[in-house]
Amino acid sequence: MYSQESISGRRRGRPEPTAETLSGLACLICATDYRAASAPEAVVVSHRDDRQLLACRGTCARMAGASLDGLDETPVPLDERVRRHESAYRAAPHQGDARQAAPHQGDPS
């Protein structure tokens, strides 16, 4: 089992969560994609912007700051998390598209 010191150090060194992590499609700690057939059971370990943050049951949940079984809350079903993620992705403007649509500063036309 991990010591409390190693768990705290892991949390401090963790990068910002990805869009998939914020949508509940990937583990907050190990980044396992829950859409994979062999993915472990996900448990709710925290919340951010009214969304559930999930981690794999066991060590990942413990490292995320919850118990081995996460919080006493049922995760939103996977198909609903996928639907919300896809609709948010479609609604968000893509930076690459905005740059291509804007005229170049030095373009005389």
Side-chain angles (χ1 to χ4, degrees), residues 43-64:
V43 294
V44 179
V45 294
S46 185
H47 294 90
R48 183 171 177 173
D49 300 329
D50 296 329
R51 292 188 245 176
Q52 297 175 332
L53 295 180
L54 305 177
C56 302
R57 180 181 300 278
T59 303
C60 288
R62 178 70 180 111
M63 290 180 77

Side-chain angles (χ1 to χ4, degrees), residues 7 11 14 17 20-32 34 40-76 81:
I7 291 171
R11 271 190 245 133
R14 194 171 39 215
E20 286 78 13
T21 302
L22 292 174
S23 295
L25 300 179
C27 176
L28 184 62
I29 300 299
C30 69
T32 293
Y34 294 127
E41 182 181 0
V43 294
V44 179
V45 294
S46 185
H47 294 90
R48 183 171 177 173
D49 300 329
D50 296 329
R51 292 188 245 176
Q52 297 175 332
L53 295 180
L54 305 177
C56 302
R57 180 181 300 278
T59 303
C60 288
R62 178 70 180 111
M63 290 180 77
S67 70
L68 295 174
D69 295 324
L71 303 176
D72 189 22
E73 183 177 340
T74 304
V76 173
R81 296 189 317 253

